[in-house]
Each structure stands twice: as structure tokens, then as C-alpha cells.
Amino acid sequence: MSEILLNYINGAWQRAEAPHQSVRNPATAAVLAEVPLTPAEIVAQAVESAHAAFLEWRHVPATERVQYLFRFKFLLEEALDDLARTITDECGKTYAESVGELRRGIENVETACGIPILMQGYNNEDIARGIDEHLIRQPLGVVAAITPFNFPAMIPLWFLPYAIATGNTFILKPSERVPITSAKLFALIDRLNLPKGVLQLVNGSKATVDALLDHPLVRAVSFVGSTPVAKYIYSRAAANGKRAQCQGGAKNPVVIMPDADMEMTTRIVADSAFGCAGQRCLASSVAITVGAARHTFTESIAEAALTRVVGYGLDEGVQMGAVISAESKARIETLIAKGASEGAQILVDGRGKTVRGYEAGYWVYPTVLSDVPPESQIAQTEIFGPVLSLMYARDLDEAIRLVNARSYGNMACIFTSSGAAARQFRVQANAGNIGINVGVAAPMAFYPFSGWNESFFGDLHGQGKHAVEFYTQTKVVVERWYSGWSRQF
Ligand code: NAD
């Protein structure tokens, strides 16, 4: 009998009287747990208790609020190994990748501990005779985050620490495909002795999300996931008068100049394209070689794809895990076939393979498509699997035109030893996160996660100072105090 997951509402674990859905280990297809698909009535209870908690929590001094985050960081560090194993089991990535995402998540908890200074406003004395003006930041109220399957710990932590440090109360709706990690995060949160209702966990899928989007007491929504859902959530939240920041999908291009260090470039691009089985919104998906780089890079990336060790992420020496589901495997394999039908050559074919001892798992091996026509659908569609498409340009101008000929704008990278080429790329590439000799340009917690175009809907991104602005509303006070001061001081 697999574990029945609970919601965490008003400081207590609750079993939902609702249909449940199975959570599976992608490497074995074994059922790990059953997750509730929480209906609107229970979401409303969570929102109402979060609102009641907000009325007190907003007045807890920021210096006291961050003490809970300091404790949370230490509990996360203690539980790191168990959390990493859980992420690998329900999400499919390797143990090292799971540890990596936890480190990036913890970094956000640490950054949010700086709220007493990050949340400061500003002021002017004597903007007119005897009149002063202040800007202060106040929390919004109840805020919610809806998160995707591919980073079960890191992405909730892009939002949760900033939301409560700034004085809001927060509801997490994690991906129903990886809810066990959130259950474990909330088991740690339960040990913090936070006031009831400050942090809540509500499991579910579309109906649960809609209930959050429609509840009048939810003031702001953070979303990370695919672009169609990001657009839907952005418009429904906005129609209901809420703030929204919605991070969507991606199709990230990397440009490889002939003067790049080819050994290093191949290693980094292979890690970017095939790491996390390509299920990263900052995965390289299209490699554009310039001039003579075509020959050397094609050979070396094919070799890297063929030699990557695929398997269960907790086994020694495994470099790439399974994709999230049977549907995902089928979708990726169909897209590879579509690429071939549009004129691409399948240089390395990762379809139809398995891993010995894990035959029921959802395996797609690294795949390289060469000669991908820039106008083809495969060149534009997010595959979200370990598939790298190769394209070619005569010079950097043509490569940048290819980079900019796509609707997404999450990341673009260049590999070169020329400062001038790097600078041109940095200025002209139409994407919000840029890598220079870097394959996964993931901003640190104290920088915004700066997606553009169809990769982001909103204006303030997650992380860093943007998070502080997103979770606070500014109040400007103009004040005059009558007094009969003498002017001698
Ligand atoms: P998804 O859009 O299917 O689901 C994300 C969340 O939305 C889940 O919590 C899910 O329950 C909910 N959801 C799904 N359909 C919904 C609907 N119709 N109405 C309301 N809620 C709905 O995404 P996923 O498959 O879990 O994650 C992969 C996607 O996330 C990829 O497109 C990837 O590029 C993107 N992603 C983007 C970033 C980024 O920072 N831009 C980071 C990670 C992942």
C-alpha cells in the first residue's frame, strides 16, 4: 500500500476527501504515493486560514520573521541526503543533480534572510518646507505558488522564503507528479513552530489551481511551468485583479564559434543538453555552430551523447536519469520522428532503448539531430527531453539571427575566446539569461530569473530584489508636522 499524501493547512496535516492520483518513480514505474486532487472547498479553508494568519504575521518584525528561515536552512542542510534521494526517486534525475538543485534552493532561503535590509524603503526630508516624504514596503496578504515537476525542491524555494520574510502568508501547490519532496519540505517546516497558517501546502491539479486563481483573498500568484499554462494563469490571475509572475517554457540556443575551446565546450553543452535528461528550462536545445566549428563540434557532441551513462539516478556512475513519465517519453520520441520527417538527420538516436534491471522505466537516451532546418517545427518546439538539434551559420551575425528567430527567450549562450564576439552576443541576443562559455546560465538567488518573451509573463521575476518588489506594495507617505521650531540648529 503506497503512502497517501496529506495537505498541510492551518498548521496541521489533513487528509483530503478527494480523488487521489498515483505518483510514480520514473526509473521503475513503481507507485510511490497517492496525491490528493484537492477541491475548491478545501483550498478556500487554506486561503482563509492563511488570511487570518497574515493579520498577525505582517506585524511580526522582519528580524523575527527571518529567524524561522535561519532554522529552516539548518533543517534543510541536515535533511539534504534524504531530500536528494526523494527528488531522484520521484523526478528521475541523478543524485548529484538532486543535491545541486537543493543547494540552489537553500541559496534562496539564505538570501531571504537579508529581508530586514532588502525590504527597506527610502525617504526625503524637506521635499517642501517642513514636509517629508517616505516610501515604505508592505506585504500583500495571501500569496500562492504553482510549481512544475522538474525541480521539486528548488522552484518552491524560489518563492516561499521571500514571500514569508516580507510578511505575507504563502500557499504552495506543487506539481502533482512530484509532491513527495514538498511533503518532506513541509515536514521540516512543521518543526519550525511558525504561527499556524503562515505556510500551507495544498496538493492537486487544474481545479486546485483555478480555486487559488479565483479566490478573492489570494493577492499574488507565482507560476513556473509550460508556456500555455503560464499564459492561462497570467490572464486568469490578472482578470481577477491579482499580481502574477509566470515563468514559461523554453527553446534555448547556444552558439559555438570556431575559436571556442572545443573540448570544454563539448563537455559543457553535453551537460546542458542532456543533464536532468534535458528536462530543464535552461537546457541547451539548439546548437548553432559558426563556420569551421561545425565539423569538430558535430563529431565531439555525437561522441559525448553516445557515451553518456543512462540509468537509475541513485546508482553509482549514472550521468543521466529517466524522463518523467511514459507520456513524456512518447511525446519526445514522436518529436524526434517529426524532426526527421522535416529533413533533420538523426545522428544519435536515443529512442527505443532501455536500462538493464529497470526495463519498466521511462528511458530516452541522448539524441543528436543534425542539419535541422531553421524553419522546421522541431527547431521551434520545446522538446523537454535529451535532444540536441544542430544548425549552422556562416558568421556570428547569421548565428544571432537564428538565435533571435524563436518565440521563447529564457536563455542564449555563446562559446568563444573572443571578447568582441561575446560582447556582440550579449548586446544583441534576444533572451533574458545569457551565458558566455557557460551552458546553464542560471542566475544566483540574488539575481532575478530573467526570462523574456514567451518564456515569461509579468514584469517582476522570481528571486533577488525582484522577489522583494513582487511580494510587497509600496506606500508613499507625505507628512507635515506643525511646530514652532526656531531655526538656530
Ligand atoms: P506544466 O505547465 O504542465 O505544470 C506546471 C504546474 O501547473 C503544475 O503544478 C500543474 O499542476 C499546473 N497545471 C498544469 N496544467 C494546468 C492547467 N491547465 N491549469 C492550471 N494549472 C495547471 O509544467 P510541467 O510539465 O510540470 O513542467 C515543465 C515545463 O515547465 C516546461 O515547459 C519547462 O520549460 C517549464 N519550466 C520553466 C522554468 C522557468 O524558469 N521558465 C523552470 C522550470 C520549468
Side-chain angles (χ1 to χ4, degrees):
M1 193 46 195
S2 54
E3 187 190 0
I4 307 274
L5 296 175
L6 307 175
N7 292 324
Y8 187 78
I9 295 175
N10 203 26
W13 292 102
Q14 285 185 15
R15 183 162 172 168
E17 291 308 323
H20 284 63
Q21 182 174 306
S22 297
V23 182
R24 288 177 189 275
N25 180 332
T28 62
V31 174
L32 300 172
E34 300 292 331
V35 62
L37 304 180
T38 307
E41 315 82 79
I42 300 179
V43 173
Q45 287 169 20
V47 175
E48 280 151 28
S49 60
H51 180 67
F54 169 69
L55 300 177
E56 298 290 327
W57 180 246
R58 61 166 299 184
H59 297 298
V60 173
T63 47
E64 278 179 41
R65 293 196 299 252
V66 299
Q67 299 310 315
Y68 294 96
L69 293 177
F70 282 113
R71 280 206 291 284
F72 188 35
K73 176 210 159 45
F74 284 104
L75 292 183
L76 285 165
E77 297 284 358
E78 254 176 35
L80 197 87
D81 176 62
D82 179 51
L83 287 168
R85 286 171 182 278
T86 305
I87 294 170
T88 293
D89 267 344
E90 68 175 351
C91 181
K93 60 180 68 168
T94 67
Y95 178 79
E97 289 167 344
S98 299
V99 170
E101 79 153 280
L102 280 161
R103 292 251 69 91
R104 300 309 299 267
I106 293 171
E107 192 183 286
N108 280 277
V109 179
E110 293 164 350
T111 302
C113 287
I115 278 299
I117 195 159
L118 288 171
M119 208 181 154
Q120 285 174 341
Y122 46 88
N123 55 25
N124 289 82
E125 200 175 64
D126 284 324
I127 42 129
R129 286 179 196 284
I131 298 184
D132 307 326
E133 188 158 340
H134 317 273
L135 178 139
I136 52 182
R137 293 193 172 279
Q138 295 190 333
L140 303 173
V142 182
V143 300
I146 297 137
T147 54
F149 80 82
N150 63 329
F151 286 98
M154 179 184 79
I155 294 183
L157 295 176
W158 279 354
F159 306 110
L160 180 156
Y162 304 100
I164 65 163
T166 46
N168 302 280
T169 54
F170 177 86
I171 300 176
L172 174 65
K173 203 302 284 171
S175 167
E176 64 277 33
R177 289 187 278 180
V178 294
I180 307 173
T181 306
S182 293
K184 292 206 167 185
L185 291 177
F186 271 76
L188 302 180
I189 285 165
D190 190 46
R191 291 168 54 195
L192 298 177
N193 294 322
L194 270 163
K196 287 187 171 73
V198 170
L199 283 175
Q200 322 231 16
L201 171 67
V202 178
N203 288 289
S205 55
K206 179 171 167 47
T208 319
V209 173
D210 287 347
L212 287 166
L213 295 174
D214 292 345
H215 200 294
L217 288 175
V218 175
R219 295 287 318 280
V221 175
S222 305
F223 171 83
V224 182
S226 57
T227 288
V229 182
K231 270 187 189 166
Y232 163 74
I233 288 185
Y234 187 64
S235 49
R236 190 153 172 169
N240 285 328
K242 303 183 195 314
R243 283 189 184 189
Q245 48 177 196
C246 298
Q247 299 182 206
K251 181 83 181 175
N252 303 308
V254 299
V255 170
I256 297 150
M257 299 296 287
D259 61 4
D261 173 334
M262 213 45 81
E263 203 186 312
M264 179 193 77
T265 302
T266 304
R267 186 171 39 76
I268 294 176
V269 174
D271 282 344
S272 173
F274 310 133
C276 297
Q279 299 173 121
R280 245 185 324 209
C281 66
L282 294 181
S284 304
S285 182
V286 175
I288 303 160
T289 52
V290 173
R294 173 177 181 156
H295 181 66
T296 38
F297 182 73
T298 303
E299 256 184 28
S300 60
I301 197 72
E303 175 69 14
L306 282 167
T307 52
R308 204 158 187 95
V309 181
V310 180
Y312 176 36
L314 291 182
D315 287 346
E316 204 61 37
V318 166
Q319 295 173 312
M320 192 184 104
V323 299
I324 188 69
S325 62
E327 298 74 48
S328 198
K329 172 181 160 75
R331 187 182 47 78
I332 295 164
E333 293 189 341
T334 305
L335 282 168
I336 295 170
K338 167 105 182 117
S341 74
E342 289 183 308
Q345 304 296 313
I346 306 182
L347 200 61
V348 180
D349 192 349
R351 293 173 298 174
K353 300 227 164 68
T354 189
V355 170
R356 196 186 300 176
Y358 299 100
E359 286 75 9
Y362 315 131
W363 306 109
V364 181
Y365 277 54
T367 298
V368 181
L369 304 177
S370 62
D371 300 277
V372 173
E375 66 288 352
S376 64
Q377 215 185 318
I378 194 80
Q380 304 295 331
T381 308
E382 180 178 43
I383 300 176
F384 222 55
V387 181
L388 184 66
S389 296
L390 304 186
M391 292 184 201
Y392 317 103
R394 276 180 304 275
D395 54 27
L396 181 56
D397 285 345
E398 189 185 351
I400 292 175
R401 267 196 297 280
L402 289 172
V403 164
N404 290 347
R406 63 198 70 250
S407 55
Y408 295 108
N410 223 28
M411 180 186 82
C413 302
I414 187 167
F415 290 82
T416 182
S417 54
S418 155
R423 183 173 190 278
Q424 181 183 346
F425 188 81
R426 168 165 62 80
V427 173
Q428 295 179 343
N430 187 6
N433 296 297
I434 298 292
I436 294 173
N437 296 315
V438 165
V440 179
M444 300 292 284
F446 26 94
Y447 287 86
F449 193 101
S450 199
W452 281 11
N453 311 329
E454 295 277 297
S455 297
F456 181 70
F457 304 91
D459 33 32
L460 294 167
H461 299 82
Q463 295 199 145
K465 290 181 192 162
H466 277 212
V468 179
E469 286 186 42
F470 182 76
Y471 286 129
T472 55
Q473 51 198 345
T474 52
K475 186 177 266 182
V476 176
V477 182
V478 184
E479 65 183 27
R480 170 195 282 131
W481 292 99
Y482 299 99
S483 75
W485 291 346
S486 71
R487 297 273 166 128
Q488 68 190 69
F489 299 108

